Amino acid sequence: KQEVTQIPAALSVPEGENLVLNCSFTDSAIYNLQWFRQDPGKGLTSLLLIQSSQREQTSGRLNASLDKSSGRSTLYIAASQPGDSATYLCAVLYGNNRLAFGKGNQVVVIP
Amino acid sequence: GAVVSQHPSWVICKSGTSVKIECRSLDFQATTMFWYRQFPKQSLMLMATSNEGSKATYEQGVEKDKFLINHASLTLSTLTVTSAHPEDSSFYICSARTGQGQETQYFGPGTRLLVL
């Protein structure tokens, strides 16, 4: 079964600290992995997409790594800000063209 | 570019009525569209995949007669929740992609459905 797990489910950090969000997947036969941001009651905003042949992607304060062999990805958010408070979703595109989502990491950055 | 819209953004209806949700790709042609459902604090669950001009493929456990999907054009897909019940209350999100391969899916803003 193609499962995606995100740990921790929720976390709170003081402003300025770095955030580390973890995603694990059970089937390593992936095409790509994507991190999204979702604000309460809103749709998805794509943050970073890592192809299966890549090890990491960076955009501003965000860095996502991918270790396909161990079935893990990590999203780093440097110097967190209150505006980073949201739920972060990890999604894996598998060979059967299915996009499997984790339940998300709910983040609160405390001013 | 690659903008997907949904309408309405939220809807409240009485139990037993039907509700139609539209998903549009505004600046690209979407060969394939997807419908997801998200319950509170849960992940997005794929309900069905639709290719333009053909019948939708439903995931296991999703009733095709209850959730009618029409993908009549390359820019529009509709999801109709027939005879809605309170347990159908959820957040429905569509996505669209240009091909049938591993292209990126672009997500709509979602529709919040509340059935009283």
Side-chain angles (χ1 to χ4, degrees), chain B residues 49-65:
Chain B
T49 302
S50 71
N51 293 304
E52 185 266 340
S54 61
K55 290 184 178 180
T57 302
Y58 290 81
E59 294 299 298
Q60 191 173 10
V62 178
E63 301 174 57
K64 63 180 181 179
D65 294 331

Side-chain angles (χ1 to χ4, degrees), chain B:
Chain B
V3 177
V4 176
S5 70
Q6 281 185 242
H7 178 80
S9 56
W10 59 270
V11 58
I12 301 174
C13 69
K14 292 182 179 180
S15 184
T17 61
S18 294
V19 174
K20 180 184 285 189
I21 303 170
E22 292 186 350
C23 175
R24 293 182 185 272
S25 57
L26 299 185
D27 50 5
F28 67 99
Q29 294 188 327
T31 305
T32 307
M33 286 185 167
F34 304 85
W35 287 96
Y36 295 85
R37 180 167 53 182
Q38 185 182 34
F39 291 107
K41 298 195 182 298
Q42 298 297 313
S43 61
L44 276 73
M45 298 301 296
L46 180 65
M47 298 175 66
T49 302
S50 71
N51 293 304
E52 185 266 340
S54 61
K55 290 184 178 180
T57 302
Y58 290 81
E59 294 299 298
Q60 191 173 10
V62 178
E63 301 174 57
K64 63 180 181 179
D65 294 331
K66 180 171 184 61
F67 299 99
L68 301 180
I69 292 173
N70 184 287
H71 191 166
S73 79
L74 286 171
T75 59
L76 173 64
S77 176
T78 60
L79 167 67
T80 302
V81 183
T82 62
S83 187
H85 288 95
E87 57 265 31
D88 298 323
S89 299
S90 187
F91 193 52
Y92 292 86
I93 303 179
C94 74
S95 70
R97 70 180 183 204
T98 56
Q100 298 184 19
Q102 287 75 46
E103 297 85 355
T104 299
Q105 292 183 29
Y106 300 97
F107 285 83
T111 297
R112 176 75 59 188
L113 171 63
L114 176 61
V115 184
L116 301 177

